[in-house]
Amino acid sequence: MEFKYDVIVIGAGHAGCEAATAAARLGSKTCLITMDMNKIAQMSCNPAIGGIAKGQIVREIDALGGEMGLITDRTAIQFRMLNRSKGPAMWSPRAQCDRNKYIWEWREVLDSTDNLDIWQDSVKDLIIKDGQVIGVNTLWEATFYAKSIIITAGTFLNGLMHVGKTQLPGGRMAEPASYYLTESINSYGIRFDRMKTGTPVRIDSRSVHFEDMEPQEGDDDFHKFSFMDTGKRHLDALPCWTCYTTPESHETLRKGLVDSPLYNGQIKSIGPRYCPSVETKIVNFPTKEKHQLFLEPEGVITNEMYLNGFSSSLPMDIQLKALRQIPAFRDVHVYRPGYAIEYDFFDPTQLTHTLESKVIKNLFFAGQVNGTTGYEEAAGQGLIAGINAHINCHGGKEFILGRDEAYIGVLIDDLVTKGVDEPYRMFTSRAEYRILLRMDDADMRLTPKAWDLGLASRERYNLYSSKKEQIDRILEFANNYSVKPAYINEALEKLGTTSLKHGCKLIEVLTRPQITFENIQDSIPAFKEELDKIKGRREEIIEAAEILVKYSGYIEREKLIAEKTKRLENIKIRGKFDYSQIHSLSFEAREKLQKIDPENIAQASRIPGVSPSDINVLLVLVRK
């Protein structure tokens, strides 16, 4: 049986779902192929969205017209803004979600998206003609032809799970692995390797002694993920809980290391540094007597809970014994043990910034198959791949986000420029322009781009326009309104800041750290009157305007630095040089530049091993 589409997406995880909806909404006839239609957008690990830097990615996905933020808001059972003690560039939203409701919300979105079909099957090989992918064959002997194909197979490619010495094939617990596809892709010259990740034990809440734990409540304010008007939170809020491992549990874990796949040579692939297993923690920090654990609910009507911080692939009896040496879990019952999983990924330096393969035309990769970890990183890649796959079918300018435009831009540039030597996870420290990439202004940065693409709805664009107009009006008022000492000094003194000796513009007062829009407005009736004109989303708009006031100097400085870098991005060099023959470059630079074939001088400068003197050589050659 044969089918024809514009875009085919292989895998219905977080990357695949965003890719398929984006391509379909832009007008491409799209088919999403998945092994299990009941596990669409499954949260394989913790049912949580966001976190440090990851939350910014979700806000960007939403600003671009993606679905992750909207579905998270509809299924959240706890919301928190992390890093509030730091500056706004570091603020990161995070939500605990109801795992099952999240899946079915995504299923509803997919089922109601025009131009989008779903097919339940497993892809076994690609159909290649003249260096271009033109289709795929499935295990059920169906053939799908398409102009663009996106691979978002997650951890399923030759997936192998480990619990102690026991090894079972699978992409997730109780779900089969995907075979043959890696070998098909590799046969056309695309390099692959193996990675490892892990997930903790799942606990029955009825067996937990919560009196021995500390509750961790969520926030109850206006913050959320989507910039759309999603109203109040839909589900009842639930607390998370914290406790600590004990020296006794450490000793049990230590004795079990001989049977740990991580330490007995059973697992040879690359694992994450930033989300280590509990056995890795006790090996790397042998003098530490306790490690914090977070017990997090999986939904509003389930007893299943997720023990964050206790990722492990040790034998089941060792995991259970160590858990029962922690007071809160002394009588614990578990649903299933923690396990490690190994899977195939493809070297992302073989991709362009559109996420299209440099080796096989019309073939795109997104998500964990590119060596990343995390739902958010996967979804961000999926959205960009879906947009560019559509453009690849119908024409238009490729869609690429710069490092100064989005965390998604940083993520993709890091992958295609530097590659990965461990599962890639986004952090704020990876973004050199993080003051420009705040979570509060993702809509200001990206919604106009989504509107130009045709991905943002009229409602979304109108909300963006209204917010921008109101922020601009507040800033214009603050820059032009004069404040007299006689009217404001008493209020300034009460707020613990120096009184005025002469009049000044309101903007100068608002930049003081002790002053906020809310605590000064009653002392300046005209300013209060201006704030009262805000139509809807008052807190969101005031927060965004206040950040622009207080951090304007830092924001302008980063913009200037970004503009200087962009000049180098305008110097295109892909395909212009045979780097192996440029002997004035260092040997390492020749090797790296030949492998990556960077798009421009700016990208070349970010390749590890390419020095400033190598860049100067390239600039001289470009001028010639």
Side-chain angles (χ1 to χ4, degrees):
M1 186 174 290
E2 295 182 356
F3 304 90
K4 290 187 178 180
Y5 287 91
D6 293 322
V7 176
I8 291 170
V9 181
I10 303 169
H14 302 275
C17 288
E18 292 289 358
T21 51
R25 285 173 178 169
L26 288 170
S28 285
K29 186 181 178 186
T30 304
C31 184
L32 177 61
I33 302 178
T34 176
M35 290 192 292
D36 190 343
M37 291 173 63
N38 296 317
K39 296 289 178 65
I40 280 169
Q42 169 71 293
M43 293 173 164
S44 308
C45 209
N46 191 2
I49 296 292
I52 306 300
K54 293 168 175 279
Q56 283 90 324
I57 291 176
V58 182
R59 296 278 277 179
E60 291 173 355
I61 291 168
D62 183 75
L64 285 166
E67 283 291 327
M68 180 174 265
L70 285 162
I71 293 175
T72 299
D73 285 345
R74 292 199 291 269
T75 60
I77 52 181
Q78 188 188 93
F79 183 95
R80 295 176 64 212
M81 185 65 72
L82 308 182
N83 277 348
R84 283 308 295 265
S85 62
K86 300 180 181 179
M90 307 296 283
W91 297 352
S92 301
R94 181 188 188 272
Q96 193 75 13
C97 295
D98 185 302
R99 182 190 299 275
N100 290 322
K101 292 183 187 300
Y102 189 91
I103 290 172
W104 287 103
E105 285 285 341
W106 250 118
R107 177 67 184 275
E108 185 176 334
V109 167
L110 295 171
D111 284 341
S112 61
T113 298
D114 293 337
N115 299 318
L116 178 57
D117 295 337
I118 303 174
W119 178 265
Q120 185 165 309
D121 203 342
S122 184
V123 172
K124 65 178 180 180
D125 59 36
L126 304 179
I127 304 171
I128 306 294
K129 183 178 180 181
D130 299 327
Q132 303 182 45
V133 65
I134 61 170
V136 299
N137 293 310
T138 74
L139 290 182
W140 285 107
E141 301 298 336
T143 299
F144 290 79
Y145 291 102
K147 299 172 185 175
S148 297
I149 291 174
I150 309 172
I151 296 176
T152 65
T155 61
F156 283 80
L157 296 177
N158 294 318
L160 182 65
M161 297 178 291
H162 302 260
V163 179
K165 294 180 179 179
T166 302
Q167 300 179 53
L168 290 172
R172 283 190 290 254
M173 184 69 81
E175 295 182 55
S178 174
Y179 297 106
Y180 312 115
L181 185 55
T182 294
E183 290 74 16
S184 174
I185 294 168
N186 178 240
S187 70
Y188 297 104
I190 295 178
R191 300 183 301 275
F192 78 98
D193 206 334
R194 299 280 281 174
M195 273 192 178
K196 168 261 171 188
T197 189
T199 188
V201 60
R202 302 307 202 273
I203 285 176
D204 186 335
S205 63
R206 295 169 295 184
S207 66
V208 176
H209 289 272
F210 288 102
E211 68 274 14
D212 293 318
M213 306 189 82
E214 290 293 324
Q216 188 179 58
E217 303 288 348
D219 299 339
D220 186 23
D221 62 11
F222 69 93
H223 289 107
K224 54 190 179 68
F225 275 105
S226 181
F227 292 98
M228 299 290 280
D229 186 7
T230 53
K232 293 183 178 179
R233 300 205 172 112
H234 297 236
L235 303 178
D236 292 337
L238 295 177
C240 296
W241 302 82
T242 64
C243 66
Y244 292 86
T245 57
T246 62
E248 294 78 14
S249 65
H250 289 194
E251 185 58 29
T252 296
L253 294 168
R254 199 171 286 113
K255 288 179 179 177
L257 289 177
V258 66
D259 293 318
S260 169
L262 288 175
Y263 294 99
N264 65 11
Q266 188 173 307
I267 291 178
K268 297 180 173 63
S269 49
I270 310 163
R273 271 187 303 158
Y274 300 108
C275 190
S277 65
V278 68
E279 53 262 43
T280 300
K281 291 177 186 177
I282 64 167
V283 169
N284 290 350
F285 306 98
T287 60
K288 196 167 184 178
E289 293 190 348
K290 62 181 182 180
H291 294 281
Q292 192 169 27
L293 303 175
F294 300 86
L295 188 63
E296 299 168 328
E298 298 235 343
V300 292
I301 57 171
T302 179
N303 295 314
E304 189 174 354
M305 300 191 80
Y306 179 96
L307 188 57
N308 203 339
F310 204 85
S311 176
S312 178
S313 58
L314 285 164
M316 282 188 280
D317 59 330
I318 298 294
Q319 292 187 43
L320 195 56
K321 182 179 179 181
L323 278 174
R324 288 177 174 166
Q325 291 171 318
I326 299 168
F329 304 127
R330 56 186 179 271
D331 299 312
V332 75
H333 293 278
V334 302
Y335 288 106
R336 61 184 180 277
Y339 62 92
I341 181 168
E342 292 183 282
Y343 56 93
D344 296 338
F345 78 99
F346 300 97
D347 180 358
T349 62
Q350 301 166 107
L351 304 174
T352 69
H353 281 80
T354 65
L355 296 179
E356 184 181 11
S357 171
K358 296 176 185 175
V359 181
I360 301 174
K361 188 168 173 51
N362 306 331
L363 182 63
F364 295 77
F365 292 80
Q368 285 187 266
V369 292
N370 287 339
T372 62
T373 181
Y375 315 137
E376 304 83 2
E377 289 90 340
Q381 293 172 69
L383 184 63
I384 300 303
I387 292 169
N388 283 302
H390 164 81
I391 293 169
N392 189 60
C393 293
H394 303 282
K397 185 181 178 183
E398 59 188 18
F399 186 72
I400 296 172
L401 294 172
R403 296 181 70 91
D404 62 328
E405 292 177 309
Y407 271 93
I408 296 172
V410 175
L411 162 66
I412 292 174
D413 184 64
D414 280 352
L415 291 176
V416 304
T417 302
K418 301 175 183 178
V420 292
D421 55 11
E422 63 180 332
Y424 181 101
R425 178 179 179 179
M426 180 53 73
F427 293 101
T428 50
S429 59
R430 295 193 191 272
E432 62 270 42
Y433 306 119
R434 54 186 171 273
I435 294 175
L436 302 181
L437 308 183
R438 308 179 310 277
M439 69 92 200
D440 68 278
D441 78 333
D443 53 343
M444 298 294 110
R445 291 182 273 123
L446 300 176
T447 296
K449 294 178 182 292
W451 175 253
D452 291 341
L453 282 169
L455 196 54
S457 66
R458 167 61 69 178
E459 180 187 4
R460 181 179 293 280
Y461 188 75
N462 286 346
L463 285 168
Y464 149 77
S465 298
S466 172
K467 178 178 173 181
K468 185 177 187 305
E469 287 168 9
Q470 294 187 81
I471 290 172
D472 289 345
R473 177 175 51 77
I474 292 168
L475 296 181
E476 183 179 3
F477 179 88
N479 276 297
N480 292 297
Y481 185 79
S482 296
V483 178
K484 293 183 171 56
Y487 295 104
I488 199 170
N489 276 347
E490 183 179 351
L492 294 178
E493 289 168 7
K494 285 181 180 178
L495 292 169
T497 185
T498 308
S499 58
L500 298 178
K501 293 182 180 178
H502 49 77
C504 67
K505 298 299 183 185
L506 174 59
I507 194 80
E508 297 177 42
V509 175
L510 293 174
T511 56
R512 297 186 181 191
Q514 302 89 344
I515 303 299
T516 67
F517 283 25
E518 295 288 359
N519 69 18
I520 201 66
Q521 62 173 333
D522 289 336
S523 302
I524 309 174
F527 185 46
K528 185 178 188 307
E529 182 180 335
E530 200 66 28
L531 296 180
D532 287 342
K533 293 178 184 176
I534 295 173
K535 297 175 182 177
R537 300 183 296 164
R538 177 188 170 92
E539 296 102 326
E540 179 187 341
I541 290 168
I542 286 177
E543 179 182 83
E546 194 165 325
I547 289 170
L548 290 174
V549 167
K550 292 187 178 296
Y551 293 87
S552 60
Y554 300 103
I555 292 169
E556 290 306 315
R557 186 175 65 184
E558 278 204 354
K559 282 181 179 178
L560 288 173
I561 296 170
E563 283 301 318
K564 289 179 181 178
T565 303
K566 277 191 173 178
R567 294 171 199 164
L568 296 179
E569 289 177 354
N570 291 330
I571 306 174
K572 307 295 183 181
I573 57 174
R574 173 160 290 162
K576 289 188 176 181
F577 301 114
D578 179 357
Y579 296 104
S580 65
Q581 300 302 310
I582 305 176
H583 296 288
S584 50
L585 294 171
S586 68
F587 178 80
E588 184 178 9
R590 275 180 273 160
E591 190 177 61
K592 295 288 181 66
L593 288 165
Q594 193 72 19
K595 177 185 176 184
I596 305 296
D597 191 15
E599 179 69 29
N600 51 54
I601 292 289
Q603 186 189 359
S605 70
R606 294 190 290 269
I607 298 173
V610 177
S611 68
S613 61
D614 294 319
I615 295 300
N616 285 333
V617 169
L618 292 178
L619 287 170
V620 170
L621 291 172
V622 167
R623 291 190 192 103
K624 287 182 179 179

